[in-house]
Each structure stands twice: as structure tokens, then as C-alpha cells.
Amino acid sequence: MMKFIASDLDAAKAKAQRALGDRAVIVSVRNLPSGDVEVTASDKPSPSAPEPAPKAKFAGAARDAVDEGPFKMGAGARLNENIETKFSSDALSKLSSKLTGGKGGRGLDMSDRTVRAMAEILAPHGIGEALLAALTEGARHSPIDEDLYRLETGFRETYTFAPLHFAPTAPIMLVGPTGAGKTSSGAKLAASAQASGAQATMITADVGRAGAIDQVKAYGEALGADYFIAESPLDVSQILRSHRPQGAVIFDTPGVSPYDSGDIAALRSYREAADAEPVLVLPASGDADEYVDWAMAFKEIGVRRCILTKFDATKRVGAGLRAAFEAGLGLAHFSETAFISEGLLPANPEFLARRLIASRPGKIG
């Protein structure tokens, strides 16, 4: 079942029918203190007696659902390309002249043992020269002269690690390109909140993508969380005002193009309606230059932190890290599994150090 809030009964019913189609069955109608009307609807036959609220569990459709599906926009399609081939096993030697500054350049001193050791680990990930230099400088503060400790210290010195904390007065609004894993990240955040004993409310404005409504429905039912469909910023305001959620509020938005001023304006409107913190979701691997552009654009609407996803789906993970570094974004969480039950990892330098060393090209059979 799904809940829809509108200013009157007919408008609420119309929302239910748009979301669920001709099979929509109105299960209950409730007049809210705000004067709005809340309709609970289902696309299944009306039960003979009210069913109990679903238990919070992790199985079935939520476990099998994919991260994201096709959407009606062309920008960001490069996310789905296999770009791993752009990093060859001899990436270090190809970048060597750049790292040393080329003709007359200053660059990094590749004769320095620390520089060389860090470059051997990091250059194949495509992290870029500026980030490599920052991590190498940070690594010099390591109390132990060993790759893992140097790299962990480099990440700790270079990034701000800031996992999300939940409060009903501080909704989390997930933004980013199509295919980044926003919807599954939202479900994982909701699961994490519930595991800590808090309630979770999921809102989605991603109503145009094929299968999006079924996806949030599957997640909401599997988690035992309230979930709402919002077709406009006004809907978001009505849901928050009328439902008065407790605990975590996770707001999933459609994948948009940061090059489209209309898309960015729409996100601003949603952010203001929810009074939410926008958090960027990016895959760990992809087109690094494109990711930097996206991070810079989303920073303009107030993004300060990001979630990097799909660590389980790629070997080289420098693109997302480079985008966060160049845009000055804090690292909130990492995702290395498709399973909602296993949640998101709080971002930390130890994970990154072990992940990059373990995925060193040529070291995995």
C-alpha cells in the first residue's frame, strides 16, 4: 500500500491513480489536522480485513531489486559505459612524465621513495595529479613507514569524513545522476536508521523513471517503513507537514542533468520545500572529468557531502574520489554491496586504504 496526500480527496485519488494505474484501490481516507486529505491506496484487491503493518525485514523484492533503471534523459549516459579499459596496467609509466612535471615543470619528484610508492598504488586508479599530490603530502605524516599506513594517513589528512546523522528536522535529500544508486542508498540509510531503533520515512520524487514506484514500494514494504510519492515540491511540504515523521527522513530525487538549468532549479525547489540537506550520490568509478563537473554543479545547490557507491562493481575507484576532492566535498558513506540489509559503510580512511591496495592492478587473480 502507498500513501498520498493532497489538499482534497479528489486530488489525492488522482495521485493514487497516476501512480498505481487503473488497478488502484482506495483502502482508507483520513482527514489530517492540517486540512489535507491522506489516501492509502493499493494496486492489489482490497483485503477483507486490514492487514497489520509489515515487519521490518530484509528479503524478497528489496534484496533482488536493482540499483537504478533507465530514465528519460540522455545526459549522464556515459555512466553506463565500461570505461575501465581507459586505465591500462602500465598507467604509472604513462603518467610518469606528467607527475614529474614534463619539460621544465615542477610536479612530483618520482625519485622520492614515498612519492614513488604512493604513485604505484594510486596512479592506476585515475585519481588525477592534484589528488595524488595531496595524498602523498598527507602520507608523510604516517607514523609507520608502510604502504597501508601511509595511504590511510594520506586519506585522513586530505578528506573530511562526515557520516550522516538522522533527525526528523533534518531530512536527507539524495541527488545525483541517473544510475548512481540514489534509491538503493536511500533504502540502505532507512535500514540503518531502523537498525539503530529510529523510525524511517521514505519520500520519492522519482516518478518518471520506469519501475521507480515499484522499487520504492518494494523497499518500503520490506523495511516496514512509511513511504510517500511526491510529484511536486508542494507534495513534499504537505507530506512533512501532515505526516510529521519521526526519526530519519530520506528523500530520493530523480536523476538530473547538472547542465540543465531547469533541472537544477527544480532541485532547489525540492530542497527548499523539504528544508533538507542535499547529499550527492556518485559511483566510485566512471568518467572522472564528468564527475568533477557534476560535483561542482551540485555544490552550487548546497551539497557538502557525498556518498560513493558501487565499490563492489569496479576495480579502479579514483573518479568519485577525485570529484569529491576537487569540489571540496566531505565523504559520508560508501556502498560495496547490492544488498539493502548490508547497508552503507560510514566513510573512513582505513576502508579506502585497504580497498585501493587490495585492488592494485595486477594483484588480483
Side-chain angles (χ1 to χ4, degrees):
M1 291 186 291
M2 305 175 75
K3 298 178 182 179
F4 303 86
I5 294 177
S7 57
D8 57 56
L9 179 59
D10 288 339
K13 286 181 176 179
K15 286 185 181 181
Q17 188 154 18
R18 283 196 294 273
L20 301 176
D22 295 334
R23 295 182 300 169
V25 175
I26 305 302
V27 177
S28 67
V29 176
R30 185 163 68 103
N31 293 316
L32 300 172
S34 63
D36 297 319
V37 176
E38 178 186 274
V39 165
T40 301
S42 173
D43 58 357
K44 299 178 180 179
S46 181
S48 56
E51 294 183 0
K55 286 186 176 182
K57 57 184 179 180
F58 311 101
R63 178 176 286 275
D64 298 331
V66 295
D67 273 1
E68 297 282 348
F71 190 55
K72 58 182 181 182
M73 55 168 282
R78 291 163 62 183
L79 282 170
N80 298 319
E81 294 178 3
N82 179 7
I83 57 88
E84 295 296 326
T85 54
K86 71 181 288 189
F87 301 109
S88 64
S89 59
D90 62 345
L92 178 60
S93 61
K94 290 187 176 181
L95 289 175
S96 182
S97 63
K98 291 184 179 180
L99 297 176
T100 55
K103 295 181 179 179
R106 297 178 64 185
L108 293 172
D109 180 5
M110 294 300 289
S111 66
D112 183 289
R113 190 167 64 88
T114 299
V115 172
R116 183 75 187 179
M118 293 289 285
E120 286 178 348
I121 298 170
L122 296 172
H125 287 275
I127 64 169
E129 298 170 53
L131 178 52
L132 176 56
L135 290 171
T136 301
E137 186 61 31
R140 297 188 187 281
H141 297 280
S142 175
I144 301 175
D145 187 20
E146 193 273 332
D147 284 351
L148 178 63
Y149 291 97
R150 277 196 298 262
L151 196 54
E152 183 178 343
T153 303
F155 280 119
R156 182 177 289 108
E157 294 284 329
T158 302
Y159 287 97
T160 298
F161 294 88
L164 300 171
H165 298 283
F166 305 112
T169 56
I172 301 300
M173 174 175 156
L174 302 179
V175 301
T178 300
K182 295 184 299 299
T183 303
S184 61
S185 292
K188 290 174 182 179
L189 289 172
S192 176
Q194 291 186 323
S196 67
Q199 298 180 23
T201 298
M202 301 171 65
I203 303 172
T204 183
D206 192 6
V207 296
R209 178 172 58 84
I213 291 176
D214 289 338
Q215 191 176 8
V216 73
K217 178 181 176 182
Y219 287 153
E221 291 180 350
L223 294 171
D226 287 331
Y227 53 96
F228 296 88
I229 309 300
E231 296 181 346
S232 69
L234 178 60
D235 286 348
V236 175
S237 297
Q238 288 179 321
I239 290 167
L240 295 176
R241 183 178 68 249
S242 303
H243 182 59
R244 296 179 183 176
Q246 301 298 311
V249 180
I250 314 298
F251 178 25
D252 181 30
T253 64
V256 301
S257 167
Y259 310 115
D260 188 320
S261 59
D263 283 353
I264 295 299
L267 282 185
R268 289 182 188 274
S269 297
Y270 275 116
R271 184 203 64 195
E272 293 168 1
D275 192 20
E277 178 190 350
V279 177
L280 177 62
V281 180
L282 278 178
S285 180
D287 186 316
D289 290 333
E290 196 83 17
Y291 282 13
V292 170
D293 288 346
W294 285 340
M296 293 294 191
F298 285 115
K299 187 177 181 179
E300 291 297 313
I301 65 166
V303 166
R304 294 174 294 158
R305 297 187 271 187
C306 66
I307 296 171
L308 299 183
T309 64
K310 305 187 180 181
F311 275 90
D312 56 316
T314 186
K315 180 188 291 185
R316 299 174 176 88
V317 295
L321 290 171
R322 178 185 158 195
F325 171 75
E326 295 198 18
L329 304 181
L331 300 177
H333 293 274
F334 304 136
S335 173
E336 62 169 351
T337 177
F339 297 135
I340 303 304
S341 60
E342 297 179 18
L344 295 174
L345 299 172
N348 65 85
E350 181 181 0
F351 169 84
L352 288 177
R354 293 184 181 278
R355 177 64 174 79
L356 269 71
I357 286 179
S359 59
R360 191 183 307 185
K363 300 296 183 181
I364 293 182

